[in-house]
Amino acid sequence: MTAEMAMRTERGLCIGGAWVDAADGATVEVRDPATGELVGTSAVAGAADVDRAVIAARAGFSRWSALTADERCDVLLRAAALVDERTPAMAELLTREQGKTVADSVKEISFGAQVIRYYAEQGRRVSGSIRPTARRDIRSLVTWEPLGVVAAIVPWNYPVDLYAWKVGPALAAGNAVIVKPPVETPLAVAAFVQCFLDAGLPEGVLSDLPGALAAGSRLSEHPDIDAITATASTATGQAIMRSAAASMKRVTLELGGHSPFIVLDDADIAEAAAAAARRSFSNAGQICIAVNRILVADRIADDFVEAVAAEARAIRLGHGVEPGITGGPVTTAAVIEKSRRHIDEAVAAGAALRAGGRAPELAAGLRAEMFFEPTVLDRVPADALVMREETFGPLVAVHRFGADDDVAAIANRGDYGLAAYVFGDDLDRAWGVAERIHAGGVGVNVNDVSELQAPFGGWKMSGFGRELGTEGLEGMMQQRHIRIRRRTA
């Protein structure tokens, strides 16, 4: 199948290795957030479709788990190769439905392929062990086994990347997977799924059901689903936990964040400002590990704020498929509504607007209501709403701290602990601050905490369980202990 044929702009549900309509015929239009133009349509799954997928997944699991790790590895490597081959067409489709620039879409999809390759190989390295025992006639064998049927819920901000984070380890471990991708961005996901089908994944092993609350609720409560992994808001994560408790299914949750970016007084201002702006405004700030609040030392604050504001003003907004565009629209209008609310509340409390804060001037044909200038607020009080609540939009708040302030304690205020960043020239000092941060990932002089071979996940209200690294694979498996008594010692 060619890359063009694999790009489904009118997609159904994937159940049992085939593309089918929703049981009730429900569909949704997918529109380009930048222009409002129709990109495609998608079937919308309900509870009955989940039930169909579970039946198919149970049969698929029996076939898939019976294969050797090498056989599963071969299928996953073929799928990753097809993703690489189809990335250019898939990236344009992702940009048109989600809004990020094509360069960022390519980066997202390419990393998704890397994740699949990594877990394909890691699945071959899973080994058991024979443990010491207290008796000479006893042997203890410990093995790793798949969980069974795993449900996954993927958000709209990084639909392909986070899809790979979930299905990669789940499939490598021998599980069948039922995924609920977002109805806002289901099209590039369909192309990603097609790569697995074309690679020879047995039918029923991967089901793909774009849906809303009805499908998500059924996934979390279904008694024949053994585990659920989700990237979602904290409120949604809490609902999943409550629903999953009835069947005691394993739960992995990556939830909301409110990342602090600490700039110590010996930091390289230009370097720190560029890093902060990239992590604040990439994908219009719609990133779980985006920089929400910058804590900068008083001594360098004026120069730093001006540098960040300059970076924000340099972002060229427009349609992500156009050359030279470095910032696109938001995906949903609610992002701008929340950003405006945070800006208004902070300014009323004494904050100063240093960049942005309004709708930009745009080329003809673009939807002004879906674009917002990257915004920098300075001298934001510590108790302002933006300092306490995730914006998930193109807004960053700067709070200044003095030499006598405990910046780690300031950073640790609040309920979230997904990611944090510390910039400073004295590595011992910066490292010392990093070790006091209550977060699952801390970047020191780097503005990203995701690393393919290291665990990713949150503390506190940002969730639990880990993705990526060997931990991501172990989270998709369970241990079995077989204790054997020999007849002769």
Side-chain angles (χ1 to χ4, degrees), residues 339-364:
S339 298
R340 286 189 184 279
R341 186 169 74 251
H342 282 184
I343 292 168
D344 291 345
E345 193 268 351
V347 170
L353 184 65
R354 297 302 185 197
R358 62 182 182 178
E361 296 182 5
L362 298 167

Side-chain angles (χ1 to χ4, degrees), residues 75-404:
V75 174
L76 296 180
L77 290 179
R78 287 197 298 270
L82 288 172
V83 173
D84 285 334
E85 177 184 310
R86 299 170 184 176
T87 290
M90 200 184 302
E92 181 165 339
L93 185 58
L94 178 57
T95 291
R96 290 190 182 278
E97 64 178 336
Q98 198 274 339
K100 59 169 63 84
T101 65
V102 167
D104 282 345
S105 291
V106 168
K107 181 180 177 182
E108 173 178 346
I109 296 164
S110 297
F111 188 66
Q114 291 179 44
V115 171
I116 300 302
R117 277 193 293 271
Y118 171 76
Y119 282 114
E121 295 292 349
Q122 284 298 121
R124 303 170 65 190
R125 300 186 179 102
V126 175
S127 60
S129 60
I130 297 177
R131 303 292 177 88
T133 64
R135 288 170 46 176
R136 294 181 181 178
D137 63 338
I138 295 292
R139 298 293 181 268
S140 283
L141 178 66
V142 178
T143 61
W144 286 98
E145 307 295 339
L147 298 172
V149 176
V150 174
I153 296 176
V154 178
W156 50 258
N157 59 331
Y158 284 88
V160 176
D161 189 14
L162 296 177
Y163 204 102
W165 288 27
K166 290 168 172 51
V167 303
L171 293 176
N175 301 288
V177 191
I178 302 171
V179 187
K180 187 187 81 65
V183 292
E184 295 88 351
T185 55
L187 302 180
V189 162
F192 192 71
V193 171
Q194 189 65 51
C195 293
F196 288 90
L197 302 183
D198 292 346
L201 191 71
E203 63 182 56
V205 176
L206 177 60
S207 293
D208 185 76
L209 311 176
L213 181 60
S217 297
R218 185 58 178 153
L219 285 172
S220 59
E221 73 184 13
H222 201 295
D224 288 330
I225 291 177
D226 303 291
I228 185 164
T229 173
T231 300
S233 68
T234 297
T236 298
Q238 291 169 324
I240 289 171
M241 287 183 67
R242 287 191 292 268
S243 184
S247 57
M248 292 296 290
K249 57 174 55 70
R250 183 179 297 191
V251 178
T252 299
L253 299 173
E254 191 262 280
L255 307 176
H258 194 238
S259 304
F261 188 101
I262 298 171
V263 186
L264 302 176
D265 59 9
D266 62 345
D268 182 307
I269 292 175
E271 178 184 57
R278 171 65 183 172
R279 186 50 60 204
S280 298
F281 304 125
S282 175
N283 197 21
Q286 301 166 134
I287 307 176
C288 59
I289 58 171
V291 173
N292 297 125
R293 50 200 170 114
I294 298 174
L295 310 177
V296 59
D298 267 331
R299 189 173 68 82
I300 62 169
D302 288 344
D303 291 341
F304 176 83
V305 170
E306 179 49 42
V308 171
E311 293 279 352
R313 290 189 289 265
I315 294 172
R316 185 181 172 197
L317 296 178
H319 199 299
V321 300
E322 297 296 333
I325 294 300
T326 55
V330 300
T331 308
T332 72
V335 171
I336 293 179
E337 293 171 10
K338 190 171 186 180
S339 298
R340 286 189 184 279
R341 186 169 74 251
H342 282 184
I343 292 168
D344 291 345
E345 193 268 351
V347 170
L353 184 65
R354 297 302 185 197
R358 62 182 182 178
E361 296 182 5
L362 298 167
L366 298 182
R367 300 169 68 196
E369 70 272 19
M370 299 300 285
F371 287 85
F372 199 73
E373 289 185 346
T375 300
V376 179
L377 293 174
D378 187 20
R379 299 186 182 276
V380 180
D383 60 352
L385 191 60
V386 69
M387 295 291 292
R388 297 181 283 112
E389 182 179 284
E390 182 179 36
T391 304
F392 211 69
L395 167 64
V396 69
V398 180
H399 177 78
R400 303 178 179 217
F401 67 91
D404 296 330

